[in-house]
Amino acid sequence: MDRRQFLCGALASGAAPLLFGGCAGKFLANRKINIGVIGYGRIAHTMDVPGVQQFTDRCVVTAVCDYDATRAEYGKKVVEERYAKKGIVQVVKTYGDYREMLADKSIDAVLLCIPDHQHAIVATDCLLAGKHIYLQKPFAQTIQEGRVVANIATKKGLVVQVGAWQRSRPQFRKVVQLVRNGRLGKIARVEVGIGCDHSGGDRTAEPVPATFNYDAWLGPTDPTVPYNWTRCHNRDLKHIGDRPGWIQLAPYGWGMITNWGAHHLDITAWGLNRDPSSVHGTCEWMDLSGNKLWNVHTTYDLHYDCGGTDVHVNNKFQMGVKFIGENGDWLWCTRGAVKVTPSDPEPKVAPGQLGAIAASKPELLDDLLPCEIEDNALAHGGEKFLTTDDHFLNFLEAVAREDPQYTVCDAEGAHKSTAFCSLGRMCMELSRGKKDGATLAWDSKKEVSGNAEADKMLVPFARGRFDLAISLKAAGLDYAKYVKPMA
């Protein structure tokens, strides 16, 4: 009998709904977790909200917030209807200001399904309000923003799960464990493919919809840019599952390097367990002719140095991660047939491409014997980590335990992985107009590059009340301390 079957049996017999051993907190382990949602768009609608809503014995979604009132009301309707189909009557509150939602002390945890440029400020406010969070990837928009969030999470002792859900898939987990336990010997290089974005969008100014708080949506960025739905999201609810415009428009998103990079470079960082010391590379940028709006990179070629291992990131590689050992043997992992949202690439494997998991020799995929496991990449908090194929279940279990180390992708790990991506983006910016690209050094302990131009890109975005320093000051915390790595 596996653990899921055991839990189901326990529930049928009338046992307490959350069973997590002796370390579970008395409060959250014995009742359902109340969840609020901030941002009801593509990811919330197609992935995050249904992801937690399936566990009706463990949690309940009680509130939805969005700067677009139309989306907030739609989220309320969808959540209530999903519960009704299960015979559950649940009234969901709606908010236009997430800070009002955070004032509700009954809410235990929050799903943050918002554009990248809002991640750090909203996540920090949630943590300072004492809420556990599920934060979509990438962790933050700048490295110092990410450092603030990771430090606050550590100080508050709250659970943070980041949406780098590939860590909860068996093929990625197995390859990482094999790599970290020496199946390939020393890793000579890693090949990473993350795909390309394409030009588009429209710069034509449009009236701001009456139900949309555009100024708050812009948050810490330039408030003077004209509204166009391709800058933000499609307001037609029939297209709520479509890829939003901001995801390929700086400064709201940095493009594929942080979008899919936050998945595949996360697996790379998890497998190597080392930070980069430098990155060199080049890229091409989107065509901005006519009224085209989107402006991030298209093709790219980056080389990171990770302790002598060359991490090569190139759009010509198949999307996925290939770890290559010193003798030429390799292990490969990718999503295979998994398609999470309608905007994901088609999961069909083209001729000549590799499936979800592969190796240069079949025996390289043999399971490790207990005596071969020296580095347990799945161990957290001094106990063997409960491997899970459901990222949301892992989050709920961690919240019930009130154990931040129980998540498979916690704040510190996600910060490190996103910094990996952000360095690539910073190198791309430095390479503009340079035929041979640019090289950027990185001190992972101090989290500085030593390049004045690049280090400006580390700094958090801020505008008026949309400022991390203001949030920390209001909580009696020293911003200058939290924006740096803490000993």
Side-chain angles (χ1 to χ4, degrees), residues 276-300:
S277 59
S278 68
V279 58
H280 171 83
T282 61
C283 74
E284 297 293 330
W285 298 91
M286 285 186 173
D287 172 20
L288 293 176
S289 62
N291 276 332
K292 295 185 182 73
L293 175 66
W294 302 335
N295 61 3
V296 297
H297 67 90
T298 53
T299 60
Y300 48 88

Side-chain angles (χ1 to χ4, degrees), residues 333-480:
C333 50
T334 192
R335 293 189 180 182
V338 175
K339 184 172 182 177
V340 180
T341 70
S343 65
D344 280 355
E346 288 298 326
K348 296 178 182 178
V349 177
Q353 290 191 328
L354 297 169
I357 186 169
S360 55
K361 298 173 183 175
E363 60 267 25
L364 290 173
L365 291 172
D366 290 347
D367 289 340
L368 289 166
L369 298 173
C371 62
E372 295 179 289
I373 300 176
E374 296 179 1
D375 180 359
N376 190 351
L378 308 179
H380 286 247
E383 63 177 309
K384 181 168 171 50
F385 176 70
L386 173 66
T387 59
T388 177
D389 291 341
D390 195 299
H391 212 56
F392 298 102
L393 176 60
N394 175 228
F395 171 61
L396 295 174
E397 289 183 326
V399 171
R401 286 170 166 257
E402 298 179 83
D403 182 359
Q405 290 188 298
Y406 202 73
T407 56
V408 71
C409 193
D410 64 6
E412 187 65 29
H415 167 64
K416 292 285 190 179
S417 292
T418 300
F420 208 128
C421 304
S422 297
L423 285 173
R425 174 251 160 178
M426 291 159 62
C427 180
M428 288 177 176
E429 292 288 352
L430 293 177
S431 73
R432 286 182 185 266
K434 299 177 182 178
K435 181 180 179 181
D436 296 326
T439 298
L440 182 63
W442 182 242
D443 183 331
S444 60
K445 291 184 178 180
K446 295 181 179 178
E447 294 188 345
V448 294
S449 72
N451 179 307
E453 184 180 356
D455 284 349
K456 289 179 182 178
M457 291 184 255
L458 300 173
V459 179
F461 289 94
R463 172 176 73 94
R465 64 184 176 90
F466 306 103
D467 189 336
L468 283 169
I470 292 176
S471 294
L472 267 64
K473 183 178 181 180
L477 301 177
D478 182 358
Y479 171 78

